[in-house]
Amino acid sequence: MFDDALLQFAAGARDDLGFLLLAAADTVVTATLAEVAAQGHPQIRRVHVPVFMHLEPAGATISTLADRAGVTRQAMTGVVRELEGLGYVSATPDPTDRRARRVTLTALGAEYCGAATLVSERMTAQWAERLGGDAIDRLRDQLRSLAAPAPTEG
């Protein structure tokens, strides 16, 4: 009954910039998780990545992590508890708000971040070989521009 709409959507998605960006990001995350798993971090899954992406050196509250990741506080609490159980983060009462939990990286979490960073740098170097260093620099600048909030008219 809705087959035409789905087929039209799928056909448009093949060249849609947003879908292509998501596909490229998915490729990076999948490859990074596989390589880092082989280096001793097989427990880290895709759902864990936003915690590492949005954590600050001084830590962050679960609410802040949830806001930055675009998920509910309850969902982020579950992910943080899982990572805490695996030894990658620590969640303690926030010194400024005893009701909140402050999430910080552990030594194992720092090891994972270091390994993931090296994998990402290696992938970027491979892309630079395929596309050229100048093209990668332009792409990075263009993506930063697209990711920045649009200027407001005043």
Side-chain angles (χ1 to χ4, degrees), residues 19-150:
F19 283 108
L20 290 170
L21 289 168
L22 285 172
D26 185 61
T27 298
V28 171
V29 171
T30 299
T32 300
L33 288 174
E35 282 196 46
V36 174
Q39 295 177 26
H41 302 279
Q43 309 91 335
I44 298 300
R45 298 179 296 123
R46 181 176 304 270
V47 70
H48 300 138
V49 173
V51 173
F52 296 107
M53 283 176 50
H54 300 297
L55 201 55
E56 299 170 8
T61 64
I62 290 175
S63 293
T64 299
L65 291 172
D67 287 345
R68 291 176 181 167
V71 300
T72 66
R73 189 177 58 77
Q74 292 80 4
M76 184 56 71
T77 297
V79 173
V80 166
R81 282 186 180 153
E82 190 173 333
L83 283 171
E84 188 175 28
L86 293 169
Y88 287 87
V89 300
S90 174
T92 57
D94 188 286
T96 61
D97 180 357
R98 292 306 228 179
R99 297 168 297 163
R101 310 267 304 153
R102 178 155 294 274
V103 180
T104 55
L105 212 53
T106 64
L108 184 61
E111 182 182 301
Y112 164 78
C113 288
T117 299
L118 290 176
V119 170
S120 176
E121 289 171 352
R122 190 167 48 255
M123 289 181 74
T124 301
Q126 290 169 351
W127 288 359
E129 285 180 24
R130 282 174 52 188
L131 302 175
D134 289 343
I136 290 294
D137 291 340
R138 277 193 313 280
L139 178 59
R140 188 179 283 119
D141 290 341
Q142 291 166 339
L143 290 172
R144 282 189 189 115
S145 175
L146 290 174

